[in-house]
Amino acid sequence: AHAGNAQNPSVVSDLFARVGGPDAGEVSADTMLAVRSGHVILDNLWLWRADHTATGLVKAGHNPCQVGAAITGDDVTAYALMVEHALTDQVQWSGERGRTYMFQSEMPYDVGADFGAQGYVGYRVAETVAEHQGFGIGVYHYFRDFPVKVHTLIRVPKHLEGSFVSSVGVCLNGIGAAEHVLNELGRSTKMPDAHPIGAVVAYVCNSSSADAAPNTETMIVV
């Protein structure tokens, strides 16, 4: 690891990582991106465990990737970070003073019902972190193959809840559910039993002060 330089930060721009496809060969990765240095700027990254290949849909954890992005360096800033379909957490962030401006992710489609019991999330900030900010953190789910229920989509230390602005959870489709958006905040997202629709969206909006927990939540069905 390298401490980096605030006056001359490193930059990673327009990076696309893919685990699986387009051919039928089996591939794997432990982590798609590891950032161990400090003062790094991430600009427009899409880290994708493929949900389909040339032969069709990916099922049963094939082409495994455990973690999308693991960020242990301090003072890392991400602009437009997108991470999809890793088999555990999509992002694990343990560096100090991290900031993310626009995050989009999808939980894996093909995991079993026990996925929810493991506590995996789309965006995780380690309990040891003192400072972190997130703006527009969005986690989507489409549990296609099994009825998966996750407790929450974004997991951060309690004292950082007020540092997250406009977090959103989205049920795109499928037979699973998320009970909350950010820790224990935000309503459940799942398809209605009687009238399946396009998507179910739940927001946790920003608080009135940096020291207070988010105090507004809304549910929109579209």
Side-chain angles (χ1 to χ4, degrees):
H2 186 269
N5 186 339
Q7 305 306 314
N8 187 24
S10 300
V11 179
V12 179
S13 293
D14 302 327
L15 176 67
F16 172 46
R18 175 174 178 164
V19 180
D23 56 31
E26 179 80 359
V27 297
S28 66
D30 292 331
T31 304
M32 280 186 267
L33 174 71
V35 181
R36 300 189 178 99
S37 296
H39 296 288
V40 175
I41 296 173
L42 307 176
D43 173 32
N44 188 31
L45 277 64
W46 184 26
L47 313 177
W48 185 55
R49 172 181 165 256
D51 59 275
H52 59 276
T53 68
T55 60
L57 298 178
V58 172
K59 296 189 175 184
H62 289 177
N63 299 321
C65 174
Q66 300 307 310
V67 178
I71 300 171
T72 57
D74 295 335
D75 303 292
V76 175
T77 300
Y79 299 97
L81 175 61
M82 293 148 288
V83 185
E84 298 186 315
H85 311 151
L87 292 175
T88 65
D89 293 333
Q90 305 309 301
V91 168
Q92 296 176 345
W93 203 308
S94 58
E96 282 291 348
R97 296 174 299 281
R99 293 178 295 169
T100 297
Y101 298 88
M102 205 296 284
F103 172 77
Q104 180 271 330
S105 74
E106 285 183 355
M107 305 292 263
Y109 299 171
D110 57 323
V111 288
D114 61 340
F115 179 86
Q118 306 303 315
Y120 299 132
V121 295
Y123 193 98
R124 181 185 302 278
V125 179
E127 288 296 322
T128 56
V129 171
E131 297 180 39
H132 190 99
Q133 293 177 289
F135 302 89
I137 307 299
V139 181
Y140 302 2
H141 61 89
Y142 168 29
F143 295 119
R144 182 190 62 203
D145 300 336
F146 296 95
V148 178
K149 179 182 285 188
V150 297
H151 182 71
T152 194
L153 297 169
I154 304 164
R155 176 63 70 184
V156 306
K158 180 72 174 177
H159 67 272
L160 291 177
E161 288 179 351
S163 297
F164 278 69
V165 177
S166 299
S167 301
V168 60
V170 181
C171 175
L172 293 171
N173 207 330
I175 52 178
E179 294 179 335
H180 301 288
V181 178
L182 170 66
N183 290 354
E184 280 64 53
L185 301 171
R187 299 180 184 177
S188 174
T189 50
K190 65 177 182 178
M191 285 289 107
D193 294 333
H195 302 288
I197 52 177
V200 176
V201 184
Y203 291 95
V204 175
C205 297
N206 58 300
S207 62
S208 57
S209 72
D211 296 326
N215 57 11
T216 305
E217 56 188 69
T218 315
M219 186 171 181
I220 299 175
V221 178
V222 295

